[in-house]
Amino acid sequence: MPNPVKDAWRAGRAVVNGWLSIPSAFSAEMMAKGGFDSLTVDMQHGVQDYLSVVACFQAIQAHPVVPFVRVPWNEPGIIGKVLDAGAMGLICPMVNTAEEARALVAACRYPPLGARSFGPIRAAIYGQGGGYFATANEDIAVIPMIETRQALDNLEAILDVPGIDGAYIGPSDLGLSLGFEPRLDRQEPEILAIYDRLLAETRKRGLIAGIHNGTPEYARTMVDRGFRLVTCSNDAALVATGAIRDVAVMRGK
């Protein structure tokens, strides 16, 4: 099953990614109509569980949008289940060492490249696993998050792990690890220098760099900087900020 996101990266194009925190197929369906290249179901900080992941994927499938998941942790059980559900991209938080990156790859790839158990119950739509198996190792995007000082210390070793497709910056946790407040759309020179280092190291290896953003304007500057996976819109945040804005207008504020 081809992955249009990886095709875009091979062509040098940036991928615009949305974020699904609400455990609802209806919310996922509305987001899927927004024109995103991919949508990531957030199991780490979103209000999502395995069944809501499946429901979101079912809603997304009617649209030309690639389904991703951010798993709650680098744990092979949940990684295998979301891949079996049909995730075509896997974003994993708090990958701090090459050993942890190797464990992530092993959980995402079938032998001989990894140790993923075979049983793609929904990914093979449904039970027709032969074609899926033939291309899954190549098609699924495996992306560790770089968000601690330890990960920065081990950055080159993490990126050298075979099977990694890139790295994804988590600005809030990265800032916390370096003594800053947690927030997105960072402007500190020290952190912008880290972004440029990541871009240089991924480019050198033919990998992509991704980043979480707070506004579409900042995300656009990150595309111009060289990032090839940019996330901005979160379904929960869009609902909340829209409600706050409309109430303020009606109250004359």
Side-chain angles (χ1 to χ4, degrees), residues 12-151:
R13 300 195 304 272
V15 168
V16 176
N17 179 55
W19 211 249
L20 301 179
S21 296
I22 300 172
S24 166
F26 183 52
S27 174
E29 183 179 45
M30 289 190 291
M31 290 287 283
K33 291 173 69 67
F36 295 99
D37 299 306
S38 58
L39 285 170
T40 297
V41 183
D42 183 13
M43 297 186 78
Q44 185 191 16
H45 294 304
V47 192
Q48 299 277 12
D49 61 20
Y50 178 69
L51 290 179
S52 69
V53 168
V54 173
C56 287
F57 283 179
Q58 290 171 322
I60 291 169
Q61 189 173 346
H63 304 274
V65 180
V66 179
F68 274 45
V69 172
R70 178 168 70 171
V71 290
W73 208 251
N74 191 1
E75 190 279 312
I78 192 59
I79 290 172
K81 283 187 73 68
V82 299
L83 293 177
D84 288 346
M88 293 301 292
L90 197 292
I91 298 174
C92 183
M94 295 290 178
V95 175
N96 294 319
T97 67
E99 181 181 7
E100 292 172 0
R102 283 191 289 270
L104 172 61
V105 171
C108 293
R109 306 291 190 210
Y110 290 124
L113 303 181
R116 179 184 172 191
S117 175
F118 186 73
I121 177 62
R122 184 177 177 277
I125 309 289
Y126 285 93
Q128 319 221 348
Y132 176 82
F133 173 77
T135 62
N137 280 350
E138 172 61 26
D139 291 342
I140 291 166
V142 181
I143 306 171
M145 292 189 72
I146 302 298
E147 45 191 346
T148 68
R149 186 184 297 274
Q150 184 184 14

Side-chain angles (χ1 to χ4, degrees), residues 171 183-186 211-219 231-233 237:
R183 59 184 176 84
L184 304 174
D185 296 3
R186 312 205 72 104
I211 188 168
H212 216 77
N213 307 274
T215 63
E217 292 80 11
Y218 188 90
T231 302
C232 176
S233 298

